């Protein structure tokens, strides 16, 4: 039995402790917003926040995250919510598949950096592939979120 | 006009997933002239549906697949506009795969092209019926009523909501004469609309194929032979069965069809991870078969030889040999391009449940009807027993119009008598795809003293897509030739030849298809001729395209050289072609007509620490009437990145028949740090709408290579640029 705290909820699951967090979230707990893209830590589709830090859940065994707070795309935080708003407004998603991972990476960036430069954004987002090529809009939407934050 | 019918009282609307109760209009995009009402009841086979409920909600059925192409939004907005509906009250339902929707294949960048007129008529008809309903209710003349923002308004000022007219509208006879609104009054068409699905995407609630769950569903991973069309000789499943969560291991057959399953060994498990682990633990011996001899390096040498000698002539006008003999100068170049793979962010996957007398699947597919047909034939059943539900697609790029992965799920479900989800690993996706063709091309050109091109010879050899559909196809097919033979250059002596190139992997179409190799060689070679003529590449190219004319092609839409030159001029104007660029920066240009659309891009490139850096891309597109500018711009931005990925990194190789690449570390993608700024201008046009999903791709790689020539003085004839250590 492994206990996971996801979006503030406690889940005790019966699974191989070696199972990557991604599959526990998707196949056992049933939250499918976190995506599989590569399974090797290469694409960022599976990103979640682990005690506030962005991690690739596809390469993280559940045994290593016991007791830690996990936030998925279905979860909420001030930055994540504002980012989602900006994402919709600038019509960022194309196929949408990579976007949960992109949003998580962006939320982690804004959690530690109120006014990221383009360079900061490149660095924070370089681990996330978007095969549809929405990078320009992602960058604009992150800047837009900073604006939104100032207004509220 | 299409036949539009009021189906509000028919029970079969349930079969398309609409609840009864509202005003339901349906139409068939294929016209039939039979006016006998009774007979039509039998034959009427509608393929577009719109339902207005009394709460005002408007539901549309989208027959095309959403894969980032914005098609659900564009198609919907056309109806809503003509109907004067409120965009916020519109929802979209995805159609299942069924011939009743007409052609549902979402590829070839043609969804909007095919459905535009019909969608408008449908919206206008609904509006007309609501006006008639209001007139009836108020006992006034319909001429005194108009529609605006989900209301019918009378000239006296009184108004009534669409929803409140549903009961009366349901009884109104469908008008046969309707008037479309003047295009300048469009509310949504031609404007910037947000995706109807944006919220679902950002909240993680959009259900992609991979996210589909049904009760008691098993997760399945399949080991396939590393060599295309190899077969299982024997396998040992004992280690796999020891893995927690693995329940069973079974062999599945190869189905010899274009989109049939490859066959292999399937691991059935309680979760995806166990299935993946079980697959790794399998010990399989394979019969590799004849494709084991495929080595892509060797193959490239062979097809290159084939273009260095005379091939099959597919176009010959004037006299190229004389032109070369009498030329002021000639030049020749050889281009080599590797296989590519789509690698959509969401891997191939499908959920299937085959029961005693029915089969239902949920799949991210660009081709729901092909999928259904293949299932019907495999199960030897009838169409009414098979339902194909189309989920969201996490990218398609052509991969998901080939539903081999759906058939796999059907086979496994049938065998184990349980619902299953087959999930490909990323490695499976890279290693067992339908690859974009590899090609060798040879071009020779001649100029006269004034710098005019007087001779053009283009020879190419590439394994054809048709080889996937029939055996013994060793040469490019007609549609793989026309992008070389119909180039819009005004040259008196032109010859095109094809060389032999048999296929050893499954060849398939990938975003913009044959326009990738031809767009590359033609645009790079034209630039080379400009330098040979010592001319500015922009001026030279405009000259080469020549005077304004409609080129006569066999297609319904002829291409217009004026529109081609226009996009090039616009891109040049936006880039300020000719201006002084920062030290070490250079512009390169390319222009291409594909999928009936005209696109030009100018890229600004520099070398930073001897690595390519693309700073800006100025793209101009003429795709006729634009439905949603937002989608067009997004597609051009995305195409720029897609084109850069293939230019920088795209290379699939085979050794002893097996694909050597594995995952995103050795089949790389452009990431945020290399993403360019893309500036898009859309040409204002009232011409028929044409494709936007693909035509932005082919110009990118040649434009980069042309810019690099200015910086380095070297021509990079082969892709990807990683081969030259430039990325
Ligand atoms: S799925 Fe985890 S990084 Fe790609
Ligand atoms: S939106 Fe499709 S992969 Fe990013």
């Amino acid at each position: 039995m492994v206990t996971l705290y996801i979006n503030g909820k406690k889940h005790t699951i019966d699974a191989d402790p070696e199972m990557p967090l991604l599959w526990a979230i998707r196949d056992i707990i049933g939250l499918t917003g976190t995506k599989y893209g590569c399974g090797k830590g290469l694409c960022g589709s599976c990103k979640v926040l682990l005690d506030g830090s962005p991690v690739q859940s596809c390469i993280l065994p559940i045994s290593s995250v016991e007791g830690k707070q996990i936030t998925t795309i279905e979860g909420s935080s001030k930055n994540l919510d504002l980012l989602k708003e900006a994402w919709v407004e600038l019509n960022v998603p194309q196929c949408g598949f990579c976007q949960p991972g992109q949003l998580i990476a962006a939320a982690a960036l804004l959690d530690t950096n109120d006014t990221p430069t383009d360079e900061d954004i490149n660095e924070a987002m370089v681990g996330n592939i978007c095969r549809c090529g929405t990078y320009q809009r992602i960058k604009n939407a992150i800047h837009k979120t900073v604006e939104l934050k100032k207004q509220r | 006009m299409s036949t539009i019918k009021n189906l509000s009282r028919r029970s079969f609307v349930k079969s398309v997933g609409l609840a009864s109760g509202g005003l339901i209009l349906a139409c068939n995009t294929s016209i039939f002239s039979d006016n006998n009402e009774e007979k039509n009841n039998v034959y009427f086979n509608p393929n577009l549906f719109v339902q207005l409920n009394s709460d005002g909600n408007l539901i549309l059925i989208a027959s095309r697949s959403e894969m980032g192409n914005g098609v659900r939004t564009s198609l919907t907005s056309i109806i809503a506009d003509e109907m004067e509906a409120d965009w916020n009250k519109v929802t979209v339902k995805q159609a299942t795969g069924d011939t009743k929707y007409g052609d549902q294949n979402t590829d070839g960048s043609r969804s909007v092209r095919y459905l535009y007129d019909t969608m408008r008529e449908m919206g206008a008809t609904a509006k007309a019926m609501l006006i008639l309903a209001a007139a009836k209710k108020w006992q006034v003349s319909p001429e005194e009523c108009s529609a605006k923002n989900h209301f019918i308004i009378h000239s006296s000022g009184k108004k009534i909501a669409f929803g409140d007219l549903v009961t009366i509208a349901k009884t109104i006879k469908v008008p046969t004469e309707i008037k479309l609104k003047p295009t300048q009054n469009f509310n949504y068409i031609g404007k910037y609309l947000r995706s109807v699905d944006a919220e679902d995407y950002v909240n993680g609630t959009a259900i992609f194929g991979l996210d589909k769950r049904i009760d008691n569903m098993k997760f399945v991973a399949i080991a396939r032979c590393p060599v295309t069309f190899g077969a299982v000789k024997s396998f040992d499943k004992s280690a796999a069965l020891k893995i927690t969560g693995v329940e069973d291991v079974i062999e599945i057959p190869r189905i010899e069809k274009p989109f049939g399953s490859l066959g292999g060994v399937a691991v059935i498990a309680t979760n995806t991870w166990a299935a993946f682990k079980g697959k790794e633990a399998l010990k399989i011996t394979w019969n590799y078969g004849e494709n084991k001899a495929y080595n892509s390096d060797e193959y490239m040498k062979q097809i290159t030889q084939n273009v260095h000698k005379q091939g099959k002539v597919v176009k010959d006008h004037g006299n190229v040999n004389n032109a070369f003999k009498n030329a002021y100068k000639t030049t020749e170049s050889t281009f080599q391009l590797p296989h590519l793979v789509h690698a959509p962010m969401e891997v191939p996957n499908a959920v299937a449940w085959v029961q005693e007398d029915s089969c239902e699947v949920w799949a991210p597919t660009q081709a729901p009807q092909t999928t259904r047909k293949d299932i019907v034939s495999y199960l030897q059943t009838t169409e009414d027993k098979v339902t194909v539900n189309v989920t969201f697609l996490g990218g398609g790029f052509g991969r998901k119009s080939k539903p081999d992965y759906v058939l796999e799920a059907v086979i496994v479900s049938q065998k184990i008598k349980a619902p299953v989800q087959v999930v490909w690993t990323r490695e499976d996706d890279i290693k067992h795809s339908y690859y974009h063709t590899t090609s060798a091309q040879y071009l020779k050109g001649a100029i006269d003293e004034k710098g005019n091109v007087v001779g053009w010879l283009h020879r190419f050899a590439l394994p054809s897509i048709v080889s996937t559909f029939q055996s013994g196809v060793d040469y490019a097919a007609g549609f793989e030739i026309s992008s070389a033979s119909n180039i819009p250059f005004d040259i008196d002596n032109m010859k095109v030849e094809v060389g032999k190139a048999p296929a050893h992997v499954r060849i398939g179409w990938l975003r913009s298809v044959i326009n990738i190799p031809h767009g590359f060689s033609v645009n790079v070679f034209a630039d080379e001729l400009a330098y040979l003529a010592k001319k500015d590449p922009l001026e030279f190219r405009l000259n080469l395209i020549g005077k304004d004319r409609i080129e006569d092609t066999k297609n319904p839409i002829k291409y217009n050289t004026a529109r081609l030159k226009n996009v090039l001029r616009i891109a040049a104007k936006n880039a300020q072609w000719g201006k002084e660029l920062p030290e070490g920066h250079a512009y390169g240009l390319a222009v291409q007509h594909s999928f009936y659309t005209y696109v030009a891009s100018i890229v600004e490139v520099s070398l930073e620490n001897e690595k390519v850096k693309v700073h800006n891309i100025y793209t101009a597109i003429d795709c006729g009437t634009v439905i949603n500018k937002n989608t067009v711009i997004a597609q051009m931005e995305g195409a720029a990145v897609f084109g850069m990925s293939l230019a920088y990194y795209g290379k699939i190789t085979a050794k002893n028949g097996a694909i050597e690449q594995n995952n995103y570390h050795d089949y790389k993608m452009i990431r945020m740090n290399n993403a360019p700024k893309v500036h898009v201008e859309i040409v204002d046009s009232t011409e028929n709408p044409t494709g936007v999903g693909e035509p932005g791709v082919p110009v990118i790689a040649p434009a980069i290579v042309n810019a690099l020539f200015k910086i380095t003085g070297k021509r990079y004839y082969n892709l990807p640029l990683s081969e030259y250590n430039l990325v």
Side-chain angles (χ1 to χ4, degrees):
Chain A
M1 287 295 180
V2 179
T3 301
L4 300 173
Y5 295 90
I6 300 179
N7 304 329
K9 242 179 101 184
K10 180 175 167 179
H11 300 267
T12 304
I13 59 170
D14 181 13
D16 188 334
E18 284 304 304
M19 178 182 284
L21 177 60
L22 169 67
W23 299 114
I25 292 174
R26 288 183 55 84
D27 294 355
I28 297 179
I29 292 160
L31 291 173
T32 54
T34 306
K35 305 300 187 199
Y36 166 75
C38 70
K40 298 277 154 70
L42 302 164
C43 76
S45 302
C46 64
K47 276 188 184 166
V48 297
L49 297 177
L50 184 68
D51 285 343
S53 303
V55 292
Q56 287 140 337
S57 65
C58 68
I59 48 172
L60 211 60
I62 47 177
S63 57
S64 71
V65 301
E66 272 222 87
K68 300 196 174 146
Q69 293 297 331
I70 295 156
T71 308
T72 70
I73 191 67
E74 290 92 348
S76 163
S77 79
K78 181 152 176 260
N79 282 329
L80 188 57
D81 296 350
L82 281 176
L83 282 159
K84 287 180 180 180
E85 214 179 302
W87 243 243
V88 170
E89 179 156 346
L90 298 192
N91 208 44
V92 173
Q94 288 193 23
C95 83
F97 193 82
C98 73
Q99 301 298 342
Q102 306 277 5
L103 281 156
I104 291 287
L109 168 67
L110 293 189
D111 287 345
T112 55
N113 184 341
D114 276 337
T115 50
T117 61
D118 279 356
E119 283 315 304
D120 297 337
I121 294 175
N122 285 348
E123 201 173 303
M125 306 302 291
V126 75
N128 287 70
I129 295 176
C130 174
R131 182 58 161 148
C132 297
T134 62
Y135 300 114
Q136 176 167 337
R137 291 194 188 211
I138 290 174
K139 198 173 268 178
N140 291 343
I142 293 173
H143 288 308
K144 170 102 199 169
T145 309
V146 172
E147 291 300 306
L148 286 176
K149 273 176 89 170
K150 279 191 205 136
Q151 288 162 17
R152 302 206 183 151
Chain B
M1 195 180 133
S2 317
T3 308
I4 295 174
K5 293 197 137 227
N6 184 347
L7 293 188
S8 308
R9 305 192 191 187
R10 307 272 163 79
S11 54
F12 84 80
V13 297
K14 286 208 193 81
S15 73
V16 301
L18 289 171
S20 47
L23 166 68
I24 297 170
L25 293 185
C27 90
N28 187 330
T29 43
S30 60
I31 302 156
F32 54 97
S33 55
D34 196 337
N35 281 325
N36 180 313
E37 174 74 15
E38 280 314 300
K39 251 185 143 181
N40 279 0
N41 281 347
V42 182
Y43 292 119
F44 185 62
N45 201 4
N47 51 34
L48 288 173
F49 297 88
V50 48
Q51 173 173 27
L52 178 67
N53 289 333
S54 46
D55 59 5
N57 284 326
L58 184 66
I59 302 166
L60 303 169
I61 296 232
S63 58
R64 300 302 173 107
S65 305
E66 183 60 60
M67 50 188 176
N69 50 353
V71 72
R72 284 161 49 101
T73 307
S74 347
L75 294 184
T76 311
S77 67
I78 300 169
I79 292 189
D81 204 325
E82 280 291 349
M83 194 172 164
E84 303 295 346
D86 177 353
W87 184 244
N88 296 318
K89 298 213 168 80
V90 181
T91 52
V92 186
K93 270 182 77 96
Q94 193 67 39
T96 60
D98 197 315
T99 44
K100 71 184 166 222
Y101 299 110
D103 177 7
Q104 284 180 285
N105 285 338
T106 310
D107 53 38
S109 300
R110 62 192 166 187
S111 300
V112 167
R113 186 149 47 91
Y114 282 16
L115 295 172
Y116 180 65
D117 290 339
T118 313
M119 291 299 219
R120 286 187 67 188
E121 285 164 11
M122 190 91 159
T125 304
K127 179 179 79 178
M129 289 172 73
L130 290 165
I131 287 180
L132 288 169
K136 192 168 167 188
K137 187 181 170 89
W138 291 329
Q139 295 293 309
V140 299
S141 153
E143 269 82 64
E144 293 163 20
C145 303
S146 60
K148 198 173 175 195
N149 206 25
H150 241 68
F151 283 90
I152 300 295
I153 302 163
H154 183 248
S155 49
S156 66
K158 67 179 162 191
K159 58 183 202 169
I160 180 165
F162 279 8
D164 295 334
L165 288 167
V166 165
T167 320
I168 307 176
K170 278 162 73 169
T171 66
I172 303 271
K173 212 166 156 285
V174 177
T176 47
E177 288 285 310
I178 48 130
K179 248 181 49 208
L180 299 179
K181 73 199 255 196
T183 53
Q184 67 268 26
N185 294 351
F186 282 152
N187 301 320
Y188 307 129
I189 299 174
K191 305 282 166 22
Y192 296 83
L193 283 178
R194 248 186 244 157
S195 162
V196 290
D197 301 309
E199 265 96 3
D200 279 339
Y201 288 143
V202 302
N203 290 324
T205 47
I207 299 297
F208 295 90
L210 216 47
D211 304 329
K212 182 65 196 171
R213 299 286 182 261
I214 54 180
D215 287 348
N216 304 314
M217 188 181 89
K218 305 294 177 197
F219 296 83
V220 178
I222 297 172
R224 302 166 192 84
C225 182
V227 178
T228 307
F229 303 145
V232 177
K233 200 189 280 174
S234 64
F235 65 98
D236 173 358
K237 59 184 176 186
S238 50
L241 284 172
K242 282 192 196 115
I243 289 163
T244 322
V246 172
E247 295 186 334
D248 203 356
V249 175
I250 61 170
E251 187 174 341
I252 63 164
R254 175 177 169 213
I255 306 293
E256 289 192 38
K257 283 194 162 215
F259 309 134
S261 71
L262 285 169
V265 180
V267 177
I268 293 113
T270 56
N271 62 77
T272 316
W273 185 64
F276 284 2
K277 266 187 74 173
K279 177 182 157 214
E280 272 165 32
L282 291 171
K283 292 185 190 67
I284 308 175
T285 29
W286 303 98
N287 265 327
Y288 291 113
E290 61 189 44
N291 289 324
K292 182 157 196 283
Y294 186 42
N295 287 299
S296 48
D297 283 356
E298 270 308 302
Y299 185 80
M300 183 54 81
K301 284 184 201 140
Q302 268 169 36
I303 59 174
T304 304
Q305 278 170 13
N306 292 351
V307 297
H308 285 157
K309 60 187 185 208
Q310 157 111 42
K312 270 205 239 177
V313 178
V314 292
K315 173 181 183 138
D316 194 5
H317 81 233
N319 187 328
V320 166
N321 286 347
N322 273 349
F324 289 150
K325 219 181 295 159
N326 304 325
Y328 169 61
K329 278 182 189 169
T330 62
T331 183
E332 53 194 313
S333 300
T334 301
F335 298 80
Q336 298 178 323
L337 302 182
H339 287 297
L340 301 173
V341 70
H342 322 74
M345 218 64 229
E346 178 200 28
V347 288
N349 69 86
V351 171
W353 192 4
V354 181
Q355 298 185 72
E356 214 31 47
D357 199 29
S358 70
C359 167
E360 187 160 10
V361 308
W362 292 262
T365 172
Q366 290 172 253
Q369 288 174 25
T370 315
T371 307
R372 193 189 197 198
K373 237 177 55 214
D374 283 353
I375 296 170
V376 166
S377 123
Y378 171 73
L379 293 175
Q380 298 192 330
T381 179
T382 47
E383 286 215 334
D384 54 310
K385 301 285 194 316
V386 176
T387 309
V388 175
N389 302 287
V390 182
T391 62
F392 280 108
L393 280 69
F397 312 118
R399 175 63 184 93
K400 289 176 184 161
S401 31
K402 302 154 185 108
D404 56 336
Y405 51 96
V406 187
L407 208 58
E408 289 177 341
V410 170
I411 294 170
V412 177
S413 174
Q414 189 199 30
K415 280 198 189 292
I416 69 165
K417 298 190 170 43
V420 301
Q421 181 177 55
V422 165
V423 182
W424 289 39
T425 62
R426 175 59 61 196
E427 287 79 3
D428 294 338
D429 172 53
I430 302 275
K431 289 177 180 297
H432 303 287
S433 193
Y434 291 80
Y435 299 96
H436 172 77
T437 193
T438 177
S439 60
Q441 304 183 69
Y442 166 81
L443 283 101
K444 182 169 178 181
I447 55 169
D448 65 14
E449 287 85 353
K450 290 195 216 103
N452 297 315
V453 179
V454 290
W456 177 279
L457 168 68
H458 187 171
R459 261 192 221 134
F460 60 92
L462 46 84
S464 170
I465 287 172
V466 182
S467 65
T468 298
F469 296 84
Q470 65 200 59
S471 57
V473 175
D474 293 345
Y475 289 87
F479 67 92
E480 291 159 323
I481 292 170
S482 59
S483 47
S485 59
N486 284 340
I487 48 168
F489 294 163
D490 195 5
I491 304 175
D492 287 339
N493 307 292
M494 195 185 265
K495 195 171 191 178
V496 178
E497 298 173 8
V498 291
K500 190 173 177 179
H504 300 288
V505 289
R506 301 189 293 180
I507 304 292
W509 51 99
L510 172 145
R511 191 178 191 180
S512 77
V513 203
I514 191 66
N515 297 286
I516 293 173
H518 287 155
F520 183 70
S521 62
V522 168
N523 274 292
V524 172
F525 195 66
D527 204 73
E528 187 171 341
L529 289 172
Y531 281 88
L532 188 70
K534 300 201 168 55
K535 294 255 170 90
D536 171 65
L538 173 64
E539 273 320 301
F540 181 85
R541 187 67 68 92
L542 290 167
N543 261 330
L544 185 55
I545 297 168
K547 57 184 182 308
D548 293 356
R549 64 194 186 281
I550 311 283
E551 286 270 328
D552 200 17
T553 65
K554 287 196 194 82
N555 296 318
I557 304 176
K558 313 290 173 200
Y559 64 84
N560 183 334
T561 54
R563 291 172 76 185
L564 194 68
K565 286 185 291 180
N566 186 43
V567 289
L568 188 50
R569 286 201 186 100
I570 291 174
K573 178 196 74 193
N574 292 344
Q576 295 180 274
W577 179 269
K579 80 168 176 190
E580 183 125 359
L581 292 173
E583 175 76 29
H585 289 221
Y587 276 155
L589 69 82
V591 57
Q592 183 84 0
H593 171 262
S594 62
F595 305 94
Y596 307 111
T597 290
Y598 306 81
V599 175
S601 284
I602 288 175
V603 303
E604 181 186 346
V605 171
S606 72
L607 283 180
E608 282 177 8
N609 306 320
E610 286 160 46
K611 303 291 178 203
V612 179
K613 174 91 194 158
V614 177
H615 301 268
N616 290 290
I617 298 185
Y618 300 88
T619 294
I621 173 171
D622 177 351
C623 54
T625 302
V626 170
I627 312 304
N628 183 358
K629 287 193 172 159
N630 218 334
T631 302
V632 177
I633 292 172
Q635 287 296 312
M636 291 304 108
E637 292 165 356
V641 173
F642 198 95
M644 279 178 66
S645 283
L646 75 89
Y648 275 46
Y649 311 114
K651 184 170 187 170
I652 287 289
T653 57
K655 196 167 186 181
N656 299 329
I659 301 303
E660 294 182 285
Q661 289 67 30
N662 297 281
N663 203 321
Y664 288 127
H665 63 287
D666 52 9
Y667 194 77
K668 287 191 183 148
M669 297 293 151
I670 292 292
R671 293 168 183 263
M672 180 69 88
N673 57 331
N674 278 321
K677 285 204 181 73
V678 186
H679 316 265
V680 182
E681 180 167 337
I682 305 170
V683 173
D684 264 329
S685 168
T686 50
E687 300 275 344
N688 286 330
T690 54
V692 296
E694 301 173 87
V697 174
V699 285
I700 302 300
I704 293 173
V705 165
N706 291 343
L708 279 172
F709 177 78
K710 266 200 220 165
I711 299 169
T712 65
K714 281 196 202 107
R715 284 276 171 206
Y716 301 99
Y717 294 108
N718 306 340
L719 291 179
L721 295 169
S722 56
E723 302 282 297
Y724 301 99
N725 281 324
L726 282 168
V727 298

